[in-house]
Amino acid sequence: MATNSGWGQERILQKNLCNEPSGRVYSTGDRSLRSGKYLCLGERINPQNGSVVKVLCFSNRKFLYLKQSTIFNTKICAPPPNEAVQCSVLNIVHCPHDYKGPDNEKNLPIVTSPYGSSIINNRPEISWRSVVDADSYTVVVKGNGVEWEKDVKDITTLPYPQEQKELQYGNTYTITIISNRGDQPLNYSPLVVHLLPFDDVQQITGEVKEIKNLGLPPDEAAFWDMDAIYMSKLLLDESIKTLKARVMAGSKNPSIYRLLGDRYLGALLIDEAEQNYTIAAKLANNSGKTSELEKVQAGLKLVKWLKSS
């Protein structure tokens, strides 16, 4: 499978239209636009004969339905206010200031999947970090209409048990991992997750199907479109899994690794963020992508600050 390290973005750069795209056309009633085309800020969209042009704005992660002549600009694509609820290189307010590095977490079975606090899968796979002295773990899931626990050995990933009732849409649950040695519990780590309402899940599923129907290069779709749709609902879990799939497929695009680092940072998985930033830095340096390297270095700087604060 192609790794798409250049993407269609290179065509935009060659024409000196913009440094990076700001949106994409999904359906068009504009004779000069085609479905799948990138949009740059400042471009004019001219719907013809009462038709509608549907575009995805990457910065505010929304579909826009344009019925009249419109300049594609920052006024209609203002970034979303909910960005402020995540730890990121743009907003360190919500980063864990008391993070003390790997030594502080080595005895905790930190939940590593689902990622983040919002999910759409009602039977999520559950993963956690191993604890050196543990010889077993207890997985506990509690919330509205669901309560179960399961003891496991020699694994740190548990598919959601088929015999257990699935999580209920629109409800919040606590996933707790307890590490054990013999009959004695050693430590525990909880994660609170919210399963989106069913209507929201249907909407996200439909929009993802639209993206796939465009037939975009996989790296391009994962980085711009899929991430925009998932992060419109702060679905770090789905965004991370999509980006990881591109890594597993052999992508050598530094932007994929950098964005994966950003999303791990949002999930407060600092070590995973650092690992992907480091790979992104090497790839960006080798390919001479200085603008990407600057973004990667900002991420690594924040990781260093978190580990030393």
Side-chain angles (χ1 to χ4, degrees):
M1 182 177 292
T3 59
N4 306 295
S5 61
W7 311 349
Q9 182 181 349
E10 294 299 330
R11 297 190 295 274
I12 290 179
L13 298 178
Q14 290 169 4
K15 294 181 179 180
N16 296 315
L17 294 177
C18 57
N19 291 327
E20 62 180 32
S22 296
R24 190 187 305 280
V25 177
Y26 268 74
S27 63
T28 180
D30 184 331
R31 285 174 293 187
S32 66
L33 299 176
R34 59 174 178 77
S35 295
K37 179 187 181 297
Y38 274 141
L39 287 171
C40 294
L41 293 178
E43 285 194 72
R44 180 173 290 278
I45 299 170
N46 290 302
Q48 300 292 319
N49 302 322
S51 58
V52 176
V53 177
K54 180 180 180 180
V55 303
L56 174 62
C57 178
F58 295 147
S59 60
N60 68 15
R61 301 161 181 161
K62 292 181 179 180
F63 278 108
L64 307 177
Y65 298 84
L66 306 176
K67 299 180 181 180
Q68 58 188 13
S69 181
T70 305
I71 298 293
F72 191 69
N73 56 30
T74 54
K75 184 176 181 179
I76 64 173
C77 278
N82 61 4
E83 197 74 40
V85 303
Q86 289 185 41
C87 172
S88 73
V89 293
L90 300 177
N91 177 27
I92 66 172
V93 174
H94 291 276
C95 293
H97 292 244
D98 58 348
Y99 181 79
K100 298 299 181 181
D103 289 342
N104 190 47
E105 296 181 341
K106 65 180 181 181
N107 292 320
L108 293 177
I110 301 293
V111 181
T112 57
S113 177
Y115 307 100
S117 58
S118 297
I119 60 175
I120 59 175
N121 185 355
N122 62 357
R123 288 184 173 273
E125 183 176 82
I126 301 169
S127 298
W128 58 93
R129 291 182 186 164
S130 62
V131 173
V132 174
D133 295 328
D135 56 22
S136 70
Y137 301 91
T138 303
V139 181
V140 183
V141 177
K142 289 185 178 182
N144 188 23
V146 175
E147 182 171 348
W148 58 266
E149 66 178 65
K150 187 176 182 67
D151 294 320
V152 298
K153 287 187 175 183
D154 303 321
I155 62 171
T156 55
T157 295
L158 177 68
Y160 197 97
Q162 289 298 315
E163 69 273 15
Q164 298 296 340
K165 185 177 181 180
E166 70 274 8
L167 307 183
Q168 305 299 297
Y169 292 108
N171 287 282
T172 299
Y173 297 88
T174 301
I175 300 171
T176 304
I177 309 299
I178 304 169
S179 58
N180 310 297
R181 185 166 183 81
D183 295 331
Q184 297 298 315
L186 297 175
N187 219 324
Y188 70 96
S189 178
L191 175 69
V192 177
V193 296
H194 176 68
L195 178 62
L196 294 189
F198 184 68
D199 288 348
D200 287 352
V201 174
Q202 281 193 313
Q203 176 187 333
I204 293 291
T205 303
E207 290 171 347
V208 169
K209 184 177 180 180
E210 283 191 76
I211 294 171
K212 292 180 178 179
N213 287 341
L214 280 183
L216 302 170
D219 275 13
E220 186 179 313
F223 183 88
W224 292 109
D225 304 69
M226 302 283 272
D227 183 72
I229 294 304
Y230 289 138
M231 291 306 294
S232 69
K233 299 293 186 182
L234 297 182
L235 289 168
L236 288 163
D237 189 53
E238 295 299 324
S239 181
I240 288 173
K241 288 189 293 188
T242 300
L243 293 165
K244 283 179 66 177
R246 296 310 312 139
V247 169
M248 294 300 294
S251 174
K252 299 301 180 184
N253 195 314
S255 298
I256 292 290
Y257 288 88
R258 190 264 301 169
L259 185 59
L260 186 52
D262 289 348
R263 298 299 171 243
Y264 273 130
L265 198 60
L268 304 182
L269 294 171
I270 312 301
D271 290 343
E272 287 84 349
E274 183 176 32
Q275 292 166 9
N276 282 279
Y277 283 143
T278 300
I279 297 172
K282 181 178 179 180
L283 292 172
N285 189 59
N286 290 343
S287 61
K289 299 194 175 199
T290 56
S291 62
E292 188 61 42
L293 186 59
E294 289 174 1
K295 296 175 183 177
V296 174
Q297 289 171 340
L300 285 170
K301 183 178 179 180
L302 178 53
V303 166
K304 183 178 179 181
W305 176 79
L306 287 168
K307 289 192 170 186
S308 63
S309 62

